[in-house]
Amino acid sequence: MAIDQGAENSAVAELPTSRLPALELFEYVPERALVVVAHPDDCDFLAASVLSAWVRQGCSGAVCLVTDGDAGSDDPTIPPGELSRIRLEEQRAAAAHLGVSEVRCLGYPDGVLENTLAVRRDLVRVIRELRPEAVITMDPNNRWFGRGYINHPDHRAAGDAALDAIFPSARDARAFPELLRDEGLQPHKVRFVFVGASSESDMAIPLLPVDLENKMAALGEHHSQFDASDMREGMERGAREVGERCGAELAESYRFFDLVPNPSQRGYRRASAEETAMRQAELLPDPPEPATDWG
Ligand SMILES: [Zn+2]
């Protein structure tokens, strides 16, 4: 099931952009990035433009779907498993627009996902195999967006499982020891974590117009789920509004974690509190001209 197309923006829709907090700009490009989401199509709302931007600059991207997406239809005549097959094909076609060929599906039943140890272990396996420097996933804290959308429980469960797999299980040899013992999967520390569609966003990744084009093309592949043709305006507006908060033309925002912080090796901007306050002040609109004509 799709997350709300303007999810992040609708979460804060009642605030003008100029009153939203300024965002740091993340200009570093990870070597390898993995997106972990609940369903086919979630990746393309959450991270398609960023995957496009990073892959364009040399990053190797991958997508992991936790569920099979088999509940994403009201049509009772579709045989079990058929929708899952169609949606995985759609996701592979979508990823191809972003330069991503690595698409995995853990195959858990759609609609009833829980953050179990089995899900966590399967995600640890994927993380140890692909060894991503950055992971993008869903916000497990988001129960709702605005007044129109209660967040899908699979989205929260997938985000929870991904964060639990990243820390501490993927990096600890003694967590799920069978993965090392039987499969030779060495522990791996994910450095950067980006939680998407979050009401606590604090970091932004700059985009070019081509990245939005690629995102629209990716969304356009999910024929079984929605018609993406009317989503363009909202996507562009959202990316411009995030851009205004970080000094870029277009950007995507996330709640950000650096799990191996080393200031001497930072390739991204860290703004001081003063700098952030100044940037915020710069973004505030000019006060209205005082009325001089009293007629
Ligand atoms: Zn979904």
Side-chain angles (χ1 to χ4, degrees):
M1 183 174 291
I3 56 175
D4 182 54
Q5 54 172 298
E8 186 186 350
N9 300 313
S10 66
V12 290
E14 286 158 22
L15 282 175
T17 307
S18 57
R19 291 182 53 198
L20 294 171
L23 298 165
E24 288 185 49
L25 204 52
F26 187 86
E27 293 179 287
Y28 178 86
V29 177
E31 264 181 51
R32 291 180 300 281
L34 169 67
V35 179
V36 178
V37 290
H39 309 117
D41 79 16
D42 292 339
C43 170
D44 298 306
F45 287 100
L46 195 78
S49 54
V50 169
L51 275 181
S52 166
W54 282 350
V55 169
R56 190 167 48 70
Q57 297 171 85
C59 173
S60 173
V63 178
C64 179
L65 314 173
V66 181
T67 80
D68 60 9
D70 210 44
S73 174
D74 295 330
D75 181 352
T77 66
I78 300 177
E82 176 65 4
L83 187 61
S84 168
R85 187 190 63 72
I86 291 168
R87 295 189 69 188
L88 189 54
E89 275 179 18
E90 290 174 346
Q91 185 61 75
R92 291 189 193 286
H97 289 289
L98 315 173
V100 172
S101 57
E102 182 75 50
V103 178
R104 298 191 181 195
C105 179
L106 300 183
Y108 284 86
D110 184 358
V112 289
L113 184 65
E114 292 181 298
N115 177 20
T116 62
L117 291 178
V119 175
R120 191 194 305 180
R121 182 179 55 232
D122 284 348
L123 286 171
V124 169
R125 178 185 288 112
V126 171
I127 289 169
R128 289 192 186 176
E129 285 178 352
L130 299 178
R131 309 186 78 73
E133 189 178 10
V135 173
I136 300 176
T137 192
M138 314 188 86
D139 186 344
N141 289 334
N142 261 349
R143 286 291 276 120
W144 44 65
F145 300 106
R147 288 185 168 170
Y149 184 72
I150 295 173
N151 196 14
H152 195 299
D154 288 0
H155 296 168
R156 288 184 282 121
D160 252 337
L163 295 178
D164 292 349
I166 290 165
F167 184 87
S169 301
R171 57 143 222 195
D172 287 354
R174 288 168 180 267
F176 304 112
E178 66 275 17
L179 293 177
L180 179 58
R181 185 186 61 229
D182 302 338
E183 301 179 40
L185 293 172
Q186 296 291 333
H188 175 69
K189 284 184 185 176
V190 173
R191 179 172 178 186
F192 302 118
V193 180
F194 296 87
V195 176
S198 175
S199 55
E200 301 174 17
S201 296
D202 55 4
M203 184 68 85
I205 296 168
L207 307 171
L208 293 181
V210 67
D211 301 317
L212 289 192
E213 289 302 320
N214 290 340
K215 175 174 183 166
M216 291 310 305
L219 286 166
E221 295 290 350
H222 297 283
H223 303 287
S224 71
Q225 299 301 298
F226 48 80
D227 176 1
S229 58
D230 60 351
M231 295 180 181
R232 175 180 291 272
E233 193 183 328
M235 293 293 171
E236 289 177 349
R237 185 174 60 246
R240 274 198 307 273
E241 288 175 357
V242 174
E244 285 172 20
R245 296 169 60 194
C246 65
E249 181 194 356
L250 300 165
E252 185 80 73
S253 64
Y254 296 92
R255 176 78 169 90
F256 173 75
F257 301 89
D258 185 344
L259 301 182
V260 195
N262 180 344
S264 68
Q265 293 177 357
R266 274 191 191 126
Y268 58 94
R269 183 175 182 281
R270 300 295 324 235
S272 66
E274 294 75 21
E275 213 177 348
T276 300
M278 278 177 61
R279 182 172 280 246
Q280 180 67 74
E282 282 168 18
L283 291 170
L284 287 172
D286 293 334
E289 290 293 321
T292 52
D293 179 5
W294 296 93

